[in-house]
Structures are given as C-alpha cells and as structure tokens.
C-alpha cells in the first residue's frame, strides 16, 4: 500500500516567518494530495489540496507544491500567525480507491509570538 | 446538524469489555469513513461506507472490530474484547459522495482508553 512520510515532526517558527512541511509518497499512481490542520481537541480540517496534474496551488498564505517525478509534495505557510499553531497532516490517495487516504504522521507547528 | 457529531467524546473501558462508538454524519452526506489516530501517529483508515454499496472494510485491524451504518445515516463502530493497543482517538468523517473531490469533514473524535 501507499506509504507517506512527513518531516519534520515538530517545527517552531517566529511569528511572521515561513513554515515548510515536506512529505514523500511511495505509490506513483497516487494522484490526490490533501493537507489537514488539526487543532487541539478537534478533528482534522482540510486546508488545501492538490492533484497530480497541477504543480502548485495557492490560497492566501498557504501554498502546496508537488513534484511527481520525485514523489514529494510540500506545504508552505507564509507570514505565520499564532493561530497557525496546530498539527498538520499530509495525505495521499490513488484511484480507484481514492476515497481512502494514507496519512503522514503529522507535524506539530508552534508559532512563537 | 452543522457538522459530524461523535459520541461519546471520551470513553474509558476495562480490558476485555466491548465498546460502541457512534457517528452522526452531516445530513445528505452519502459517504462515511472511520479512521483511527494513535498517539504520535497519522490517521489509519478503518472502514468506508457509500450509500447502499458494500462497505470497504479493508482497514479493520482484526475481527474484533466491526461497523455498521443504519439507514444510510448514523454509524456505529464496535470493538469487542478491547485490548490496550486499541487505545486511540477514533475519528469519523463524512463527505457528499465517495469521490474525493468533495473532501472529508471530520468529527472531533472519540478518545478511547483501555485500562
């Protein structure tokens, strides 16, 4: 099955700086790559996703890049704010079972004021 | 309701007991998923329901785990003869259909502790 590795496991950044989280996947057939944010005591929330026919996608301060050749994708958060502190998960899925997500182990991001 | 509702939010049980976890999906969502989140690990797929189709049970870790979805809405995850390694947060999610285009909406989870 698909194996998704995520780095780093923890990340501390100064408010206003950028944060980058990287994930690699093993199955070249994977074609959907979402990112979820989980705040304490809550379920994960989808923040951005990218499909294999796109190399980059942006939504305000958040961007995701995908390198299909290298089988890795990254989340970039610019101008970090205290409310960005959370656990972030990357995931991947492949057809025909694209409803079934394989998740990375998560990155705990702390934004220092 | 406005979101995916799970109950109970916390459950402490003795080893060997059976437990039932409940998930109430967003109204109109035909797809429902259960995932398990163990401490310090990512989410692990357990089971998927889509409409009246046969569920995908490929992620259930053992025959002690079962799930059902009644009337295409509420789902119950049952763990029989609980073991300490079953301790985790069990997350339920729903989506408008089984196509991943729609993304998941997760509930807040049930934290299960087996003592």
């Amino acid at each position: 099955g698909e194996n998704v590795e995520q780095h780093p496991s923890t990340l501390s950044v100064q408010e206003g700086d950028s944060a980058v989280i990287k994930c690699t996947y093993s199955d070249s057939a994977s074609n959907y790559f979402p990112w979820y944010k989980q705040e304490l005591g809550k379920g994960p929330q989808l923040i951005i996703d990218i499909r294999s026919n796109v190399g980059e996608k942006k939504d305000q301060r958040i961007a995701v890049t995908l390198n299909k050749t290298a089988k890795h994708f990254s989340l970039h958060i610019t101008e970090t704010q205290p409310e960005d502190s959370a656990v972030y998960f990357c995931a991947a899925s492949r057809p025909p079972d694209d409803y079934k997500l394989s998740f990375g182990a998560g990155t705990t991001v702390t934004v220092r004021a | 309701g406005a979101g995916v509702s799970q109950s109970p939010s916390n459950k402490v049980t003795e080893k060997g007991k059976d437990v039932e976890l409940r998930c109430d999906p967003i109204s109109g969502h035909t797809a429902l998923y259960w995932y398990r989140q163990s401490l310090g690990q990512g989410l692990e797929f357990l089971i998927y329901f889509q409409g009246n189709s046969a569920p995908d049970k490929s992620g259930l870790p053992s025959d002690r785990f079962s799930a059902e979805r009644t009337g295409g809405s509420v789902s119950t995850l049952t763990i029989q003869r609980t073991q300490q390694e079953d301790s985790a947060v069990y997350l339920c999610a729903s989506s408008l259909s089984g196509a991943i285009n729609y993304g998941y909406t997760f509930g807040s989870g049930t934290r299960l502790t087996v003592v």
Side-chain angles (χ1 to χ4, degrees), chain A residues 1 18 20 27 38 48 51 56 66 71-72 76 82 84-85:
Chain A
S18 296
V20 181
D27 190 339
Q38 186 175 29
I48 195 167
R51 300 183 189 281
E56 183 176 3
L66 171 65
K71 290 189 284 188
H72 67 70
H76 304 253
D84 295 328
S85 296

Side-chain angles (χ1 to χ4, degrees), chain B residues 92-109:
Chain B
C92 175
S94 69
S95 64
L96 199 55
S97 83
I100 197 61
N101 296 348
Y102 295 99
Y104 293 173
T105 299
F106 279 96
S108 295

Side-chain angles (χ1 to χ4, degrees), chain A residues 2-89:
Chain A
E2 174 67 277
N3 180 42
V4 177
E5 294 192 354
Q6 183 171 347
H7 300 280
S9 57
T10 60
L11 181 60
S12 179
V13 297
Q14 189 69 37
E15 183 177 357
D17 287 351
S18 296
V20 181
I21 304 170
K22 298 182 180 181
C23 289
T24 61
Y25 60 98
S26 60
D27 190 339
S28 58
S30 291
N31 63 356
Y32 176 68
F33 308 92
W35 286 87
Y36 284 82
K37 175 183 180 182
Q38 186 175 29
E39 297 176 337
L40 199 61
K42 298 184 179 180
Q45 179 183 13
L46 178 68
I47 55 171
I48 195 167
D49 58 13
I50 192 168
R51 300 183 189 281
S52 60
N53 58 345
V54 175
E56 183 176 3
K57 183 177 179 181
K58 290 183 180 179
D59 183 4
Q60 300 182 342
R61 296 186 297 107
I62 292 173
V64 57
T65 59
L66 171 65
N67 184 326
K68 287 176 57 180
T69 303
K71 290 189 284 188
H72 67 70
F73 56 112
S74 300
L75 178 71
H76 304 253
I77 307 173
T78 58
E79 301 172 19
T80 53
Q81 300 169 4
E83 54 263 37
D84 295 328
S85 296
V87 180
Y88 292 80
F89 292 96

Side-chain angles (χ1 to χ4, degrees), chain A residues 99, chain B residues 31-34 45-50 54-57 97-99:
Chain A
Y99 55 81
Chain B
L32 185 146
Y33 317 78
W34 284 97
F45 170 81
L46 297 177
I47 189 168
Y48 160 71
F49 296 91
Q50 167 57 19
D56 178 351
K57 304 180 181 180
S97 83

